[in-house]
Amino acid sequence: MKISFTLLVVLVTSTIVVPFLIFILKGINSNAKKEIYKLTKQNNFKYDVKTIWNNKFIGISEDKNILTYIHIKEENKQFTNIKLSHFKTCDIAANYKIDKNKVRHLKQLDLKLTYNAPDKKDLIIRFFDADEAFMENYEMRRIEYWKTLISNNLNRTLINKKAA
């Protein structure tokens, strides 16, 4: 009796755990991570702070002057090196949609960098898009952290320019 009950528990547990692990492993796109590591090595920057999530990478170089953003999509790669000294402000732009039950869902979450020059269009870094991802993965915390980090670096750069 004990053996059959133990066998039943093991079978039920494995039927729940194994598919869950498969979904987790499929969700982690190792090819995208390999591509991100390859691109960052080609860049020849050492990153003081960096984050990898979904198929995206964002990092600030050790000298706190260059921001690198990489987004690996199936059809193309978006690779951007940004000099922080060219920007004056950093803001969060969130776009919500309201479904038929009057519930707000996050549709897009962007980091908007405003150039010092007024004739240049703002640079948008996409952190979350509901069309690409099925659900949020702490994107709001992540974008607030990066907004604070970038804003501190922009303020430090502005103070250095004024002092010079």
Side-chain angles (χ1 to χ4, degrees):
M1 181 76 176
K2 278 186 165 182
I3 294 173
S4 63
F5 183 71
T6 306
L7 184 62
L8 182 65
V9 168
V10 168
L11 285 173
V12 169
T13 305
S14 64
T15 58
I16 294 171
V17 172
V18 170
F20 185 71
L21 290 175
I22 290 171
F23 286 131
I24 288 174
L25 293 175
K26 286 284 185 183
I28 299 171
N29 190 346
S30 62
N31 292 334
K33 284 189 178 185
K34 287 178 187 176
E35 191 69 29
I36 287 170
Y37 286 126
K38 187 174 93 175
L39 289 171
T40 55
K41 284 190 188 240
Q42 289 175 358
N43 209 7
N44 290 330
F45 289 124
K46 293 197 188 251
Y47 295 100
D48 190 36
V49 182
K50 62 184 175 183
T51 304
I52 298 174
W53 77 103
N54 294 338
N55 294 336
K56 299 173 185 152
F57 169 87
I58 189 167
I60 294 183
S61 63
E62 283 182 332
D63 64 354
K64 309 252 190 277
N65 193 25
I66 303 291
L67 176 78
T68 301
Y69 175 72
I70 302 171
H71 185 180
I72 306 289
K73 297 179 185 176
E74 289 190 22
E75 62 274 359
N76 65 354
K77 300 174 213 168
Q78 180 184 357
F79 180 82
T80 310
N81 279 331
I82 305 161
K83 277 195 147 197
L84 291 176
S85 60
H86 294 163
F87 298 95
K88 64 179 177 182
T89 61
C90 176
D91 295 312
I92 296 173
N95 186 4
Y96 292 92
K97 65 180 176 181
I98 300 174
D99 65 4
K100 62 184 176 183
N101 297 330
K102 307 285 190 232
V103 178
R104 285 177 34 160
H105 296 282
L106 186 63
K107 186 176 179 184
Q108 289 179 339
L109 190 59
D110 301 326
L111 197 61
K112 185 172 86 170
L113 295 165
T114 307
Y115 280 96
N116 289 328
D119 59 334
K120 287 192 173 184
K121 191 176 177 184
D122 295 341
L123 178 69
I124 304 292
I125 297 175
R126 177 122 326 136
F127 271 69
F128 176 76
D129 190 355
D131 296 333
E132 292 177 5
F134 295 116
M135 63 185 199
E136 299 174 54
N137 185 14
Y138 301 110
E139 268 79 5
M140 191 56 83
R141 280 192 221 164
R142 184 177 295 118
I143 200 167
E144 288 171 352
Y145 170 76
W146 279 97
K147 179 196 178 291
T148 304
L149 195 66
I150 293 170
S151 294
N152 290 342
N153 285 326
L154 292 176
N155 291 338
R156 187 179 61 120
T157 305
L158 188 62
I159 290 169
N160 289 344
K161 281 183 180 180
K162 286 181 179 180

